[in-house]
Amino acid sequence: MATRHAVPGRIPKPAPQEAVRVVRTTDSPNCTGACGWLATVVNDVIVDLKPAADYPCEEYNPRGCLRGMSMTHIIYGPDRIKTPLIRTGERGEGKWKEATWDEALDYIAQKMKHIIENYGADSMLLFNQVVGTSYVQKGAQIRMAALLGMSFATAYDYNGDISMGFTQTLGIDSVECESKSWGYAKYAILWSSNVLQTRMPDAQFLTRFAKQRNGCKIVAIDPRCNQTVKAADLWLPITPGTDGALALAMCRVLIEENLVDWQFLRTYTDCATLIRQDNGMRLRASDLGMGGENEFLVWDQTRQDFYKLPTDTLELPEDVNPAFKGEWTVQIDGEAVKVVPVYQLLETMVMQDEYRPERVAEITGIPAQTIRQVAREYATTKPAIIIIGMGINHRYHGDLTIRAILLLSALAGNYGTPGSGVSIYSGQHHFRIDISGFWFPEGKRPNVVPLHYFVLGKPTETINPKIKYPKHGFKALFVSHGNPLVTEFSSLMKRAIDNLELFVVIDFSMTPTCEYADVVLPAPTFWEKYDLVATGCHPYLQIQQPVIPPQYESRTELWIVQELVKRVAPELYPYFDLTELDAIRILLETAGKETEGITVEQLLQGPVRLNVPDPEIGLDEQLLHKKPFPPRAYPFKLEQQKEFLKTGRMEFYKEEPIYQQMGESLPVFKPAFSHLPEEDQRLPLCIVTPHSKWRVHSTHSNNPLLLNVNRKPVVEINPLDAAARGIQDGDLVEIFSNYGSYRLWALVTETIKPGVVCVDHGWWDRYLAGGKYHSVHTHQKIKPTHEAYFLPAVYAPGQHWKDTRVDVRKVGNNGATGNVD
Amino acid sequence: MARLAMLIDLTRCIGCDSCTLACKQEHGTPMDVFFARVLNVEAGTFPNVKRIYIPVLCNNCENPACLKACPNKAIFRREDGIVLIDQERCRGAGACVSACPYGNIILTDRDRWYLPDDRAYERDYVRPRLKEQVARKCTFCAHRVDEGLEPACVVACPTTARIFGDVEDPNSKISQYIAEQKQTTGREPFKLLPEAQTQPANMYLGTMAAQEVSTLEAPSAPSARWEEAKRQREPERVGVAAGAARLFAKITALWLLIMMLLFVLQAVAQQNGSAPTPAELYSDSSCAGCHGPTAMGGLGPPLAETKRSLEEFRKIVREGRGMMPATPPSEMPDAEIAVIHDFVQKTKLDPSQVPISYKVGQWLGTSQVTLIFSLVTLVWLVLTLRVLWYWADCAGWKQLQPYLRKFGYGRAMGVFLRSLVMDGLLVAHLWRRDRFRWAMHALMIYGFLALGLADILMSVFNPMRGSLPITHPLKLLPNLAGLAILIGIIYVRYRYSEDPYIDNGLTLSRDYAFLSLLTWTILTGFLVEGLGYAGAYVFIQPAYILHLLLVAGLFLTAPFTRFQHAFLVPVLMALTKVTSQVAYSGVELGFLNEPSPGRHHKSERIAEDVLRHVAPELAGKFRLRYYP
């Protein structure tokens, strides 16, 4: 497959004869694709990339997309870091000294030792983005953090991808069916999910299998006529932030029209559990002396008595007929306490006038008859799937929205078969296997502190006591595989970094984050080192291979860790005296039933399906085997998760006092921007920052090949909004808020709802016409309910990037600066 | 034989541009050069807006416009239907760029690259793959096809929206897919721009998504919105320029027509003719050549029993009449004229001896010949204009209008004319690349032009076509021009026999037709001259008629044979120049932001065509966007 052929002419010319090597590897930069590639290598130079298309399940082939295809221009890209760099000027000034590895490592080690001695190892924070993409290299860094006792900031929650709505309802931060399951759907609701752009290798399960083979009806809910709407039969251009109301109105339709699946509610949900009207807590078996603290009661209509739900299974005896409506009075500690089932509360809530479709139509902009029609179709078409995108999750009240959607799905009972359920694909955070064996030697774990608190510079008042904010604050930050200074809170982040004694960035491209570092260490790209990867989108475990040797002076993360440990804590070196393949072997052996029987040799041949059901439908164990919720979130123990899902069922009622205080025990609808300061709420436009196909977050932002097609950052704006501001297509404009502003070009388009503007996520500042990318969003706010418990990246604070209001003004004419050469 | 084709299922396509990038990877194309691309179309107005993605690549047409437009036979069609541009052969004239109605051919002045020069990947493995400054396009991955592989865009498409194969084989993937889709989803494939008559190989299947919208949003008045957009696209000042340009074009056309009519009328007005003898003197004189050895007539009228006086007779000989050339005293003294006059006057006219050729000859009087050639010219003009119109249409002339209005018609005309002179008249393009080929072209072009010029000069300075010595400039010019063309023809014939590129798989017979016509035209031209000098007057007239017939044939077939490249290529090159100037002028953002700037207007045509299939109600209300 070498491709050094010229265009065949009339007079045939032989292709150059060279020693060609073809290597199978995996590209896995947190796009959730984890696609197999065949790289053709000549003289240690990659000359061609083609999808490997070697998945045993034919439907998964070929996978791959334009970003994998253009990896060559990152690997050999202009921004590639060639040697370690040590800052000589001020932070961000751009003055560097090219250093040898010894110089750089000695410098870092000496600083580390100083910090450990004076402040403690937990003052050093490691932040490596989305650890699920790299079980070995990122794992090695975490292994070091664990053994040294450093702090570690999970990315999933900081990115806002953690779906607290899922955690609150299901006890796990996200649920995903393998994308093959989409193909079985007969009805699909893409709720703010732009899968045609964000899950490209899997999109064919919608367009080719669901649509073309199954005649699936696709409904897209999004304020933009985004790329996925292209494949939709019905598009609901919703007003941003009102999705929760829409979901609840649909729930109401199901109730009004008798479309509720009682059997599903009976088995899988907490709808029959009883809530005490005195303190809002659930009625426990212990309250009535019928059992333990964490056993819950329902009212059995058959026996006309309370019935204790089993804790080891979801299965109820056939004759148990729990009541969903009614009111009972019980004596607890000598006091008469009224109890009502959760369902009764839910029904009362959604039957309030504010959730009447006609009323919801006014705030969402979706006609009542459509709300009824979609609800009806969703409840009556089986299997029907809901795919949730991050647009509704990256909100302060995103958890409420998702809880409402989950309620809708439960009422419809659209679960249990391929092509049903609710899936949320939120990056490769999700561990497919238990990585503890390699990451946490002898059970030692790093001190996990969500990055929010680092950015805030201090703990909140409501911080969960399980989070150990370092006594002396943070003194050092190690960023690897990440570019946090290109995210929406970058100005706050910069301020936090300014207080550090050491800021090390490990990367292959000279990113805006690297530019602010004290020491930059050159890492190989994913194509120059071994790793083990998996994704939520498909169930194949794959190996990443060094297709070419590490370029320039770059060294793998494992090597860097080994060298640092040698210098900082030589006694720990034996833990790191291994190769990447050794690490993979450890992982395969210790990861549990999913990897049972899988060997490195198999993986070197190609993708190997994990020992998971085929097809995976999401919540398989619960739906198929009636095992209580939550499904296990690796690498934690079920007990840890059960803490916040005590009923072992889908919880649509949260009893914890903080939820009650905030009025969020039930999945109510709260207006999206209500938590913002008054002056922010007054800004006329809301802004969304979706992922584009040109980048994986900020990776590929600087890929010259993709820039050639993508060219420049634009803000999408409706002609009505544009006209009101005198903006024409291509004009140089400024987006501004009370926090900051940045300049880019206007794309006046009919595909966006008036009142909404949109800028692609992940542009590096240098491509803007001015300002700092998305500096309009600079408030970091943690929702107190997210602090009720803490389990790293499972129950942790989310993020609210999308709750931003802005305005746009024209600053230049079309053409004046509009054309990028 | 096979007919390779690609079917693109718009239901499956997600517009991810993986094909675009796979193609770049496979071919190692430089910056801004995209063989495969995906048109990103938004149609309608909010909330009634639809999106559609249209992957576009070379259509490998059965009747490829590019191939016919190529002046250099660099474009050829293989037996399996793949149309290729030979990179070695192409000289980068750029006629094909305008000729392709799909905008699939790219010619850049200089290649720009993505990576620093020290990156071995690009420097050693990418840059050398494509030749610079030649026309380039999608090759259907011919090199992969030759190895039994599918094109890169096909294997890289994550949704398998591209089905590739031989449509002539009912068992091929593509044939089966078409049949299956007809059955299961009721979709019939369609092809792009059938009106361009290129017969593309590629087919499209429509999208199955209904793309309905449900919202309380008040529908904006679509027409008003699009009218507004249109108005913005055509600023007022350009409206004036456009009007002026249109007026100018009309006046020019009218003027040309009037001039042509005048020319014909004048020719008709110049009519009449006849003449006299003594036997020996007469039969040796040039008179006998046309009037018959016994003065009973030949191609010219019989002179026997002439009624004309000597004075009239002499006047006619001296001044010529109609086709009859003027004869100076040096060739035929007055005395001789008197003798001849006397002879023919006394010769009895025997009507039975008047040859049939006289009737033909009489009919072929100057006026008729002029008339015929006026007609021939007219037909030629009509055919040529029709052909040029076709190519202008291929070049997307109509779609270019709004942008030209913005750019300014005057400015565009300037670019166009400059290019016509430089690329057409001076063949500057060849001058830069290949001096020998330039010289050969110069022989032919300037030979032709000199012949035309000689004709005009002759009409002005020697209207009666009196015979002139061979050294006379009016004689010398056409003879040298003829000679130049002759040398050119000899070279072309030699080249045709030697050149492996000559058969492009489509036009060879037409090319030979032209070459043969031209050869015989020139040869008969010289024959007439030669017969005159040899004094074989009897043969002159038939040879001359043959020559005229060949000239007529040459012109009438010109729009369809290789001859056309003489006028078509300069026009196409000029159109290419105009388009690229418009693209880089920044008048329309789309032009510059699209992959391979300069084909935006053709992409719009494709989008409109596809919308007619998938959303007819939005066909006129769309735009291409270059951002997701």
Side-chain angles (χ1 to χ4, degrees), chain A residues 180-236:
Chain A
K180 186 167 76 168
S181 285
W182 307 350
Y184 295 86
K186 292 220 166 62
Y187 200 83
I189 298 180
L190 304 173
W191 212 309
S192 130
S193 173
N194 190 5
V195 284
L196 261 58
Q197 290 280 295
T198 57
R199 301 291 176 270
M200 286 180 264
D202 303 291
Q204 65 168 338
F205 289 111
L206 269 191
T207 63
R208 180 180 165 195
F209 294 103
K211 179 88 220 162
Q212 206 176 330
R213 189 183 64 187
N214 262 359
C216 172
K217 177 166 181 177
I218 299 174
V219 181
I221 305 175
D222 203 299
R224 294 161 70 225
C225 181
N226 64 20
Q227 293 77 3
T228 301
V229 175
K230 175 254 159 205
D233 296 293
L234 181 62
W235 170 44
L236 311 182

Side-chain angles (χ1 to χ4, degrees), chain B residues 511-532:
Chain B
D511 300 342
Y512 268 110
F514 163 68
L515 192 55
S516 301
L517 273 174
L518 183 61
T519 312
W520 286 107
T521 304
I522 297 298
L523 285 180
T524 50
F526 275 112
L527 185 65
V528 172
E529 278 291 282
L531 286 175

Side-chain angles (χ1 to χ4, degrees), chain A residues 531-544:
Chain A
D531 216 318
L532 185 67
V533 296
T535 171
C537 278
H538 67 75
Y540 288 96
L541 192 63
Q542 295 172 94
I543 215 162
Q544 194 178 287

